[in-house]
Amino acid sequence: QVQLVESGGGLVQAGDSLRLSCTASGRTFSSYHMGWFRQTPGKEREFVAVISWSGGRTDYGHSLKGRFAISRDNAKNTVYLQMNKLKPEDTAVYYCAADSRRGSLLLGDADYWGQGTQVTVSS
């Protein structure tokens, strides 16, 4: 069992940066691929980024690479999402997810999810 807790969300202005954190419980964090997703009311959940268990491979949602960067610190059981040059359309609840299967995580079919953290970008 893995429990995920996100933090770092908040209200920022367009052009600002924000770093989200997701800390996992358990001693097997390093064996899980980790990902970030986001969702706004009335819309489907959107894939943001995924990082492999070792941190050696990352993938990003369409048009997000270059502004967003995912990273992890296995010693701290934490995955991060650095978000730069934020836009109002980045406003959403951001969720952390974990799965031992990278393919499932990419599809948003993860075994474990956090409770989400709200990011609001004002224009």
Side-chain angles (χ1 to χ4, degrees):
Q1 190 77 4
V2 176
Q3 292 184 332
L4 305 174
V5 179
E6 300 99 334
S7 61
L11 173 63
V12 296
Q13 293 186 335
D16 286 351
S17 297
L18 203 60
R19 189 177 79 159
L20 305 182
S21 300
C22 171
T23 300
S25 64
R27 296 177 291 178
T28 59
F29 174 78
S30 60
S31 64
Y32 287 92
H33 305 293
M34 301 296 297
W36 288 96
F37 295 79
R38 66 186 184 184
Q39 189 168 25
T40 54
K43 294 186 178 181
E44 292 188 356
R45 186 170 53 205
E46 178 186 5
F47 166 69
V48 175
V50 164
I51 188 167
S52 64
W53 64 270
S54 67
R57 180 174 179 177
T58 57
D59 292 278
Y60 294 89
H62 179 64
S63 77
L64 295 178
K65 187 175 182 179
R67 290 197 302 123
F68 288 16
I70 188 171
S71 62
R72 66 189 295 163
D73 185 339
N74 286 344
K76 296 182 178 180
N77 280 13
T78 301
V79 61
Y80 305 97
L81 183 68
Q82 178 67 43
M83 303 184 293
N84 300 321
K85 299 180 181 179
L86 284 162
K87 305 175 181 180
E89 51 264 42
D90 294 320
T91 295
V93 177
Y94 284 71
Y95 296 93
C96 174
D99 202 291
S100 60
R101 304 157 297 174
R102 182 174 174 275
S104 294
L105 189 57
L106 286 169
L107 293 174
D109 184 22
D111 283 341
Y112 304 104
W113 293 88
Q115 83 290 349
T117 185
Q118 176 71 46
V119 172
T120 303
V121 184
S122 63
S123 58

